[in-house]
Amino acid sequence: MTKNNSFRSLASAFLESVELFPDRTALVVDNASLSYSQLCRSVSQIALAIHQNEQRAYPLAAVWAHRSQTAYAGILGCLTVGKGYVPLNPKFPLERTSRMLALSGCTTLIVGKECLPQLSGLLQAANRSLTVILPEITALEFLASDNPLHRFVFPGQLTSGEDFSLLQASGPDSPAYLLFTSGSTGVPKGVLITQGNVRAYVDYICERYEVDEHDRFSQQFDLTFDLSAHDKFVCWERGAALYCVPEKSVMAPAKFIRDHQLTMWFSVPSVAGLLSKMRLLFPNCFPSLRCSLFCGEPLPAAYAQSWQEAAPNSIVENLYGPTEATIAIAHYRWDSERSPQESLNGIVPIGQVFQGQHCRIVDSHGKSVRAGEAGELCLSGSQVATGYWNEPAKTQQQFVHLPGSGELLWYRTGDLVKQDAAGNLCYLARMDQQVKIRGYRVELQEIEAVLRRACGTDQVVSLPWPVNNGSAEGVVAFVSGVKTLDRDRVLTSCSDVLPEYMVPKKIYLLDELPLNPNQKIDRGKLACLLQGAA
Amino acid sequence: MKPAAEKELIDLVVGWVKQNGLNGSSHAEISGNTNLLESGLLDSFAFVDLILFIENCTHKKLDLIDADPEEFTVVKNLCHLALRNGH
């Protein structure tokens, strides 16, 4: 790994904010407010615990925590000792979490108190010895006696947190985080994002939105969603305050925005849609916001306009970017006068790639299409990852060289786009079976693999449904090839291995699946069946 | 607000959730104290559908502007709000 002491790592940026603004609020979570110096103390405790107790040098450590102090201090603790973090989510089925932990290769696991009910299960499933750091859990004798394979670090073994000298130099190639997305083969796919990738993003965003220490950021995304990296690292880069939206307010955060006078908002567009439906989005209801960003799924023009009216002092931007390109790599600023005309089929353009990053729209041979023609969007630049975690075949397939671009590595997004006359990229569709459900990236094949096992037949299809304004609210399944179906048992099997947003809301049993003239399953016809039933 | 009306509305809501909720809701034990989101019986989109159902039942618009999501996602609190401040 490159060692570059002049490189500004994510941890050194945080520590600089600690020095500059020790008494300013760094984090509000779980009804507690932590100043930069207080958060730094927790970070230092965890960093030292990792440093002193890790069983073998490894570039990654896992953080299994959710909307708690440990979640944030754990992430910063990993980064402080030069490790990338692997976020794990207690809302995910244990089997999925266990698989992600195994795939990551981590032997250090930082655990929040909110994961305690599931901890024994995860430890028993672990196939190697782990160092388990539990900063908020009082020593539990049974954990150690029941799990002799693993080493435990409880709060009593942590230092006072005064030792800030632990910062390990991280270079641009050092890992920042490893995230798992849905995989078409049924196994989650890891994307390793480096410190250099995130640095390029954070620098650009901080300048573009003129972030400073007076800002108050929302933290709406789960940590397993890469957009959460924006909230944390952009916020702490400039000494601002991060407000973690409590789980119960995630659906309808209007009151939270007002109560905390947030200035920076970032969420999937679905949140705006939900607030609108609940009549919680009305003119001037968010006067404190100065910057509202949406990403993760197509942004309907109607939502952008409603939000603009709700937050009249805010810019409203549509961001676009796959996990492989680090959070977001293109933006489009909403303009109430101009943008309705520029929107395509009522969907806001994804705009232009960030300055310094590169895009091409190519045909099936990798050649650039003519202006205005549709093609696959390919991305390159300092924000773009170089491949998938331990998946060389998949890496070779998606990270490619394009004709005429020399050694430059391009990531094929699988997104079909076209460029309009104003130079804006407009999203048209996916080229494969990947869909976005409430902003979460989902490979339908992964759901179908689970359904096949659970139903005992190969004749299964999953479809995003319902789809409103270009966004899927959930998924439903069709099954054929069996005479009867125990739906509850099948759904339970799905819930055991898939996150909630991937579990079909309904399963339909058909005599046969409709086929198109090419003898492929006619998904359009299935969608028509759903439309008819609605 | 009449207690009988609130009890009646709670029963209607429980019935709706059993019929329209997510996986396993038809067999779930649902009471006035059930948190509909935390329990996984509804997702946010289904919750919006429930609000529409309640508004149809009460013929009042539910005003959630100053309500705390922590409270209004519990069946009896939601019904209480629907009958109290709807207009």
Side-chain angles (χ1 to χ4, degrees), chain A residues 64 89-95 97 113-124:
Chain A
W64 194 29
N89 192 335
K91 284 158 64 182
F92 284 5
L94 202 56
E95 186 180 321
T97 298
K113 59 184 183 310
E114 59 280 9
C115 302
L116 189 58
Q118 302 170 67
L119 181 56
S120 288
L122 185 71
L123 295 177
Q124 277 154 27

Short mmCIF file of all heavy atoms in Angstrom, two decimals, chain A residues 64 89-95 97 113-124:
data_model
loop_
_atom_site.label_atom_id
_atom_site.label_comp_id
_atom_site.label_asym_id
_atom_site.label_seq_id
_atom_site.Cartn_x
_atom_site.Cartn_y
_atom_site.Cartn_z
N TRP A 64 -20.33 -3.57 13.55
CA TRP A 64 -21.71 -4.07 13.57
C TRP A 64 -22.48 -3.21 14.56
O TRP A 64 -22.46 -3.48 15.77
CB TRP A 64 -21.71 -5.53 13.99
CG TRP A 64 -22.99 -6.26 13.73
CD1 TRP A 64 -23.90 -6.04 12.76
CD2 TRP A 64 -23.46 -7.40 14.48
NE1 TRP A 64 -24.92 -6.94 12.84
CE2 TRP A 64 -24.68 -7.79 13.87
CE3 TRP A 64 -22.98 -8.11 15.57
CZ2 TRP A 64 -25.42 -8.87 14.35
CZ3 TRP A 64 -23.71 -9.19 16.05
CH2 TRP A 64 -24.92 -9.56 15.44
N ASN A 89 -25.07 -4.65 9.42
CA ASN A 89 -26.34 -4.04 9.79
C ASN A 89 -27.19 -5.02 10.60
O ASN A 89 -27.56 -6.08 10.09
CB ASN A 89 -27.08 -3.65 8.49
CG ASN A 89 -28.26 -2.76 8.73
OD1 ASN A 89 -28.85 -2.76 9.80
ND2 ASN A 89 -28.62 -1.98 7.71
N PRO A 90 -27.53 -4.66 11.85
CA PRO A 90 -28.35 -5.58 12.65
C PRO A 90 -29.75 -5.77 12.09
O PRO A 90 -30.46 -6.68 12.52
CB PRO A 90 -28.38 -4.92 14.03
CG PRO A 90 -28.04 -3.49 13.80
CD PRO A 90 -27.15 -3.45 12.59
N LYS A 91 -30.15 -4.93 11.13
CA LYS A 91 -31.47 -5.13 10.52
C LYS A 91 -31.42 -6.21 9.45
O LYS A 91 -32.46 -6.67 8.98
CB LYS A 91 -31.94 -3.81 9.88
CG LYS A 91 -32.41 -2.78 10.90
CD LYS A 91 -32.37 -1.36 10.37
CE LYS A 91 -33.30 -1.12 9.21
NZ LYS A 91 -33.18 0.27 8.70
N PHE A 92 -30.23 -6.60 9.05
CA PHE A 92 -30.11 -7.67 8.06
C PHE A 92 -30.23 -9.03 8.74
O PHE A 92 -29.87 -9.17 9.92
CB PHE A 92 -28.74 -7.59 7.36
CG PHE A 92 -28.62 -6.49 6.34
CD1 PHE A 92 -29.63 -5.57 6.14
CD2 PHE A 92 -27.47 -6.38 5.57
CE1 PHE A 92 -29.51 -4.55 5.20
CE2 PHE A 92 -27.33 -5.36 4.62
CZ PHE A 92 -28.36 -4.45 4.44
N PRO A 93 -30.67 -10.05 8.01
CA PRO A 93 -30.70 -11.39 8.59
C PRO A 93 -29.29 -11.81 9.02
O PRO A 93 -28.30 -11.46 8.37
CB PRO A 93 -31.20 -12.26 7.45
CG PRO A 93 -31.85 -11.35 6.49
CD PRO A 93 -31.16 -10.03 6.62
N LEU A 94 -29.24 -12.59 10.10
CA LEU A 94 -27.95 -12.99 10.64
C LEU A 94 -27.11 -13.74 9.61
O LEU A 94 -25.88 -13.58 9.54
CB LEU A 94 -28.18 -13.87 11.88
CG LEU A 94 -27.05 -13.97 12.87
CD1 LEU A 94 -26.63 -12.58 13.36
CD2 LEU A 94 -27.44 -14.83 14.04
N GLU A 95 -27.78 -14.55 8.80
CA GLU A 95 -27.03 -15.33 7.81
C GLU A 95 -26.30 -14.41 6.82
O GLU A 95 -25.16 -14.68 6.43
CB GLU A 95 -28.00 -16.26 7.05
CG GLU A 95 -27.25 -17.19 6.11
CD GLU A 95 -28.19 -18.12 5.35
OE1 GLU A 95 -29.16 -18.61 5.96
OE2 GLU A 95 -27.93 -18.37 4.17
N THR A 97 -25.38 -11.24 7.39
CA THR A 97 -24.32 -10.55 8.12
C THR A 97 -23.12 -11.48 8.29
O THR A 97 -21.96 -11.08 8.11
CB THR A 97 -24.84 -10.09 9.48
OG1 THR A 97 -25.91 -9.17 9.26
CG2 THR A 97 -23.76 -9.41 10.31
N LYS A 113 -24.29 -1.88 21.31
CA LYS A 113 -25.18 -2.56 22.27
C LYS A 113 -26.46 -3.05 21.61
O LYS A 113 -27.06 -4.03 22.03
CB LYS A 113 -25.49 -1.64 23.46
CG LYS A 113 -26.17 -0.33 23.08
CD LYS A 113 -26.34 0.55 24.29
CE LYS A 113 -27.07 1.85 23.98
NZ LYS A 113 -26.58 2.65 22.84
N GLU A 114 -26.86 -2.37 20.53
CA GLU A 114 -28.10 -2.74 19.85
C GLU A 114 -28.01 -4.10 19.15
O GLU A 114 -29.01 -4.67 18.74
CB GLU A 114 -28.50 -1.65 18.84
CG GLU A 114 -27.49 -1.34 17.75
CD GLU A 114 -26.35 -0.43 18.19
OE1 GLU A 114 -26.24 -0.17 19.41
OE2 GLU A 114 -25.56 -0.01 17.34
N CYS A 115 -26.80 -4.63 19.03
CA CYS A 115 -26.62 -5.94 18.36
C CYS A 115 -26.49 -7.08 19.36
O CYS A 115 -26.35 -8.24 18.94
CB CYS A 115 -25.38 -5.90 17.47
SG CYS A 115 -25.46 -4.63 16.23
N LEU A 116 -26.53 -6.77 20.63
CA LEU A 116 -26.29 -7.81 21.64
C LEU A 116 -27.23 -9.02 21.50
O LEU A 116 -26.76 -10.16 21.59
CB LEU A 116 -26.41 -7.19 23.05
CG LEU A 116 -25.99 -8.10 24.20
CD1 LEU A 116 -24.56 -8.56 24.04
CD2 LEU A 116 -26.18 -7.39 25.53
N PRO A 117 -28.53 -8.81 21.23
CA PRO A 117 -29.40 -9.99 21.12
C PRO A 117 -28.97 -10.98 20.04
O PRO A 117 -29.28 -12.17 20.14
CB PRO A 117 -30.77 -9.39 20.79
CG PRO A 117 -30.71 -7.97 21.27
CD PRO A 117 -29.29 -7.55 21.10
N GLN A 118 -28.28 -10.50 19.02
CA GLN A 118 -27.89 -11.40 17.92
C GLN A 118 -26.43 -11.83 18.00
O GLN A 118 -25.97 -12.60 17.15
CB GLN A 118 -28.09 -10.69 16.57
CG GLN A 118 -29.50 -10.20 16.31
CD GLN A 118 -29.56 -9.31 15.07
OE1 GLN A 118 -29.35 -9.76 13.95
NE2 GLN A 118 -29.83 -8.05 15.27
N LEU A 119 -25.72 -11.31 19.00
CA LEU A 119 -24.27 -11.49 18.99
C LEU A 119 -23.85 -12.96 19.09
O LEU A 119 -22.97 -13.41 18.35
CB LEU A 119 -23.64 -10.66 20.13
CG LEU A 119 -22.12 -10.72 20.25
CD1 LEU A 119 -21.44 -10.31 18.95
CD2 LEU A 119 -21.63 -9.83 21.40
N SER A 120 -24.48 -13.69 20.01
CA SER A 120 -24.06 -15.09 20.17
C SER A 120 -24.22 -15.86 18.87
O SER A 120 -23.36 -16.67 18.49
CB SER A 120 -24.88 -15.77 21.27
OG SER A 120 -24.48 -15.26 22.51
N GLY A 121 -25.32 -15.60 18.19
CA GLY A 121 -25.57 -16.29 16.91
C GLY A 121 -24.48 -16.00 15.89
O GLY A 121 -24.00 -16.91 15.20
N LEU A 122 -24.07 -14.75 15.81
CA LEU A 122 -23.04 -14.39 14.83
C LEU A 122 -21.71 -15.03 15.21
O LEU A 122 -20.98 -15.55 14.35
CB LEU A 122 -22.89 -12.86 14.76
CG LEU A 122 -21.92 -12.38 13.68
CD1 LEU A 122 -22.52 -12.60 12.29
CD2 LEU A 122 -21.58 -10.91 13.85
N LEU A 123 -21.40 -15.02 16.50
CA LEU A 123 -20.11 -15.56 16.95
C LEU A 123 -20.05 -17.07 16.71
O LEU A 123 -19.01 -17.61 16.33
CB LEU A 123 -19.87 -15.24 18.42
CG LEU A 123 -19.71 -13.75 18.74
CD1 LEU A 123 -19.55 -13.52 20.23
CD2 LEU A 123 -18.52 -13.16 18.00
N GLN A 124 -21.17 -17.72 16.96
CA GLN A 124 -21.17 -19.17 16.76
C GLN A 124 -21.03 -19.55 15.29
O GLN A 124 -20.51 -20.61 14.95
CB GLN A 124 -22.42 -19.78 17.38
CG GLN A 124 -22.21 -20.01 18.89
CD GLN A 124 -23.49 -20.01 19.69
OE1 GLN A 124 -24.54 -20.34 19.16
NE2 GLN A 124 -23.39 -19.63 20.96
#
